């Protein structure tokens, strides 16, 4: 099986990324968290954040106090 794969040619295709292909992120009320075009909370990379992720970011100072007690 591996011999067959080595004999096959590999074709790589590069795409030009247009500025319109990159979604614009709007700042939210939480520092470091943004809104995407669907008004979902996302991080800088555009990954959608869950409600528990948002709570951890929003209340991180509160959680740190409880952890060290």
């Amino acid at each position: 099986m591996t011999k067959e794969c080595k004999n096959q040619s590999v074709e790589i295709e590069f795409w030009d990324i247009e500025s319109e292909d990159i979604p614009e992120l709007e700042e939210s009320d939480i520092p470091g968290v943004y809104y995407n075009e669907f008004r979902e909370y996302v991080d800088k990379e555009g990954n959608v954040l869950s409600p528990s992720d948002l709570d951890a970011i929003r209340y991180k100072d509160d959680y740190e106090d409880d952890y060290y007690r």
Side-chain angles (χ1 to χ4, degrees):
M1 182 74 176
T2 56
K3 291 180 183 178
E4 293 176 12
C5 293
K6 289 181 182 178
N7 292 335
Q8 296 178 359
S9 65
V10 176
E11 184 176 325
I12 300 174
E13 182 178 341
F14 294 97
W15 296 352
D16 289 331
I17 298 176
E18 302 292 331
S19 61
E20 64 224 21
D21 293 340
I22 301 170
E24 285 194 32
L25 302 178
E26 181 183 336
E27 288 189 34
S28 71
D29 57 328
I30 306 167
V33 178
Y34 304 88
Y35 293 118
N36 64 8
E37 66 269 19
F38 304 110
R39 301 296 290 167
E40 297 171 315
Y41 287 106
V42 296
D43 60 9
K44 289 181 186 177
E45 289 82 32
N47 300 317
V48 177
L49 299 173
S50 69
S52 60
D53 292 336
L54 287 172
D55 287 343
I57 294 168
R58 184 179 283 145
Y59 304 113
K60 67 181 175 185
D61 295 332
D62 296 340
Y63 291 140
E64 288 174 359
D65 291 343
D66 290 341
Y67 181 76
Y68 291 111
R69 287 185 186 172

